Amino acid sequence: MSRPVVLKALWGAAALMLVAGCSSGDSSGGSGERPGTAPPASVSASGPGSASASASASGAASPGGRVSVAGTLTEGLKSPWGLAELPGGDLLVSSRDERTITRVDGRSGAKTSLGEVPGVVPGGEGGLMGLAVHDGWVYAYLTAASDNRIVRMRYGGGDGDRLGAPEPVLTGIPKGTVHNGGRIAFGPDGMLYAGTGETGVTGLAQDRASLGGKILRMTPEGRPAPGNPFPDSVVYTYGHRNVQGIAWDADGRLWAAEFGQNTWDELNLIQPGKNYGWPEAEGQAGREGFVDPVAQWPTSEASPSGIAYARGAVWMAGLRGERLWRIPLSGAERSGDPEAFLSGEYGRLRTVLAGGGGRLWLVNSETDTRGTPEPGDDRILRLEVR
């Protein structure tokens, strides 16, 4: 698949960077220095943090990592959003607007509908979003009539199985036309984490009594997790605009990607109880009391959604940016400049999921009303990281 890309010259460098960015993203955006942490990268076409032309255009990376498309697992998906892997390697994918969950065979790509999830009310950036699988349950983050909420459904995992009736896990997450967050995942500690948005009401991000503009941490039943920073609260961190990417590195550190407003999208290292600045700060602010991002991008080059960790790097899917970013890490620090891959080749990129053994699953997002679908969209791609 080939899509339009624009070449721009880098200031003060002989390399070129591919800047895709025709489609708009999901409405795109601390500081407290972290001792021993590398300064944030500012990736732009006019700054020293830009990705190299070789990485962006051809998929050839600088030392330490490269990614290639090994094939298309399946195609013809409608508004795909959440992705979760079942024991055995098959995948579950949610349709934000169709309100359905589909099982995809991890080898053949054959699709089996598991049906519509009751109670989902799609609209704007809301609908049936993130998925997670845990102990015989399928968890889903969804927009209901009055709120965003997390539910869970029994699922045996067999080819002929259907989803059970949804049971509420956590309700009362603010909903809006925009900034609904939606990513959920179980951490290495067995707790359930969720990224939420402030729904365009910016003050919610700083209000610790609100579930909007937060990263939440809870037990599988939806109760505040042991060790949470605020008593009797599922709030883990606050000061976020719209978190749609969460992943853990090999040492169990939590990373999150979120949309900026007009200036900077962010990749953050998440520390319990910390304030990530929104709406007082966007991107690297250097202000006391806020945590600065580890890397930042102009909103035209990212508008980040899902992230995954593989082979020493965070991989970040860009919607408006229409590219896959690699952010190399060394422990809690960034070990090099971010690099862009697949620029403009598959349009808007929504979700990336680590599959083990250096494999990534990547979902594009051209059928969500903001893209320009081509034959086969939307699809799940099989990527190999080396």
Side-chain angles (χ1 to χ4, degrees):
M1 176 180 293
S2 177
R3 300 179 190 269
V5 232
V6 179
L7 289 177
K8 293 186 177 181
L10 280 176
W11 287 81
L16 292 175
M17 175 180 176
L18 278 173
V19 177
C22 319
S23 304
S24 59
D26 282 14
S27 299
S28 301
S31 138
E33 293 291 331
R34 289 187 300 279
T37 300
S42 297
V43 182
S44 69
S46 58
S50 300
S52 68
S54 60
S56 298
S58 67
S62 62
R66 58 173 290 146
V67 69
S68 60
V69 178
T72 297
L73 177 64
T74 197
E75 57 185 25
L77 300 169
K78 302 303 179 187
S79 61
W81 210 102
L83 191 69
E85 188 168 13
L86 291 166
D90 287 357
L91 302 173
L92 298 181
V93 58
S94 65
S95 169
R96 186 191 70 184
D97 300 336
E98 302 289 321
R99 301 174 289 188
T100 57
I101 294 178
T102 299
R103 179 174 179 144
V104 180
D105 188 287
R107 294 166 295 280
S108 70
K111 293 178 287 188
T112 303
S113 175
L114 302 185
E116 185 176 302
V117 177
V120 181
V121 182
E125 294 174 5
L128 182 57
M129 294 179 282
L131 298 178
V133 174
H134 180 74
D135 196 24
W137 295 92
V138 173
Y139 288 72
Y141 185 115
L142 59 87
T143 306
S146 60
D147 59 3
N148 284 308
R149 56 182 55 191
I150 300 170
V151 303
R152 65 180 183 176
M153 297 157 281
R154 276 293 182 191
Y155 181 59
D159 290 337
D161 289 341
R162 305 286 290 180
L163 294 168
E167 299 180 4
V169 173
L170 182 70
T171 62
I173 303 169
K175 64 171 280 189
T177 304
V178 297
H179 307 176
N180 287 290
R183 197 70 61 182
I184 57 175
F186 278 88
D189 56 2
M191 299 295 108
L192 177 62
Y193 293 73
T196 74
E198 34 76 308
T199 72
V201 182
T202 58
L204 295 183
Q206 290 294 321
D207 180 1
R208 295 211 306 259
S210 170
L211 300 180
K214 309 294 189 295
I215 292 176
L216 311 177
R217 178 176 178 263
M218 68 203 80
T219 68
E221 298 74 31
R223 295 188 293 271
N228 274 6
F230 307 113
D232 301 317
S233 174
V234 296
V235 172
Y236 194 61
T237 58
Y238 64 107
H240 300 285
R241 185 168 182 266
N242 191 22
V243 176
Q244 287 191 6
I246 52 178
W248 289 263
D249 64 26
D251 294 316
R253 285 176 286 261
L254 176 59
W255 301 83
E258 70 178 274
F259 292 86
Q261 183 172 23
N262 300 314
T263 310
W264 298 113
D265 293 327
E266 301 177 1
L267 177 70
N268 286 295
L269 174 62
I270 299 303
Q271 306 169 69
K274 298 296 186 179
N275 185 345
Y276 286 78
W278 180 254
E280 304 301 322
E282 179 183 357
Q284 182 183 5
R287 292 178 55 182
E288 184 177 357
F290 299 148
V291 178
D292 275 348
V294 172
Q296 62 185 28
W297 295 260
T299 57
S300 61
E301 297 176 13
S303 296
S305 190
I307 64 172
Y309 178 84
R311 297 205 186 281
V314 167
W315 299 83
M316 187 178 82
L319 288 163
R320 185 181 175 194
E322 297 189 354
R323 67 200 80 178
L324 180 67
W325 285 102
R326 173 184 178 268
I327 304 94
L329 302 176
S330 176
E333 302 179 4
R334 178 176 45 80
S335 60
D337 289 341
E339 298 177 280
F341 296 84
L342 309 180
S343 295
E345 294 183 33
Y346 296 95
R348 294 160 52 81
L349 304 180
R350 169 69 67 183
T351 299
V352 58
L353 178 70
R359 182 182 64 198
L360 295 173
W361 300 110
L362 179 66
V363 181
N364 74 334
S365 186
E366 288 290 287
T367 62
D368 67 348
T369 75
R370 293 185 174 179
T372 306
E374 294 188 359
D377 284 336
D378 283 325
R379 60 196 73 213
I380 301 176
L381 301 171
R382 183 188 298 107
L383 308 183
E384 298 293 337
V385 181
R386 296 185 298 278

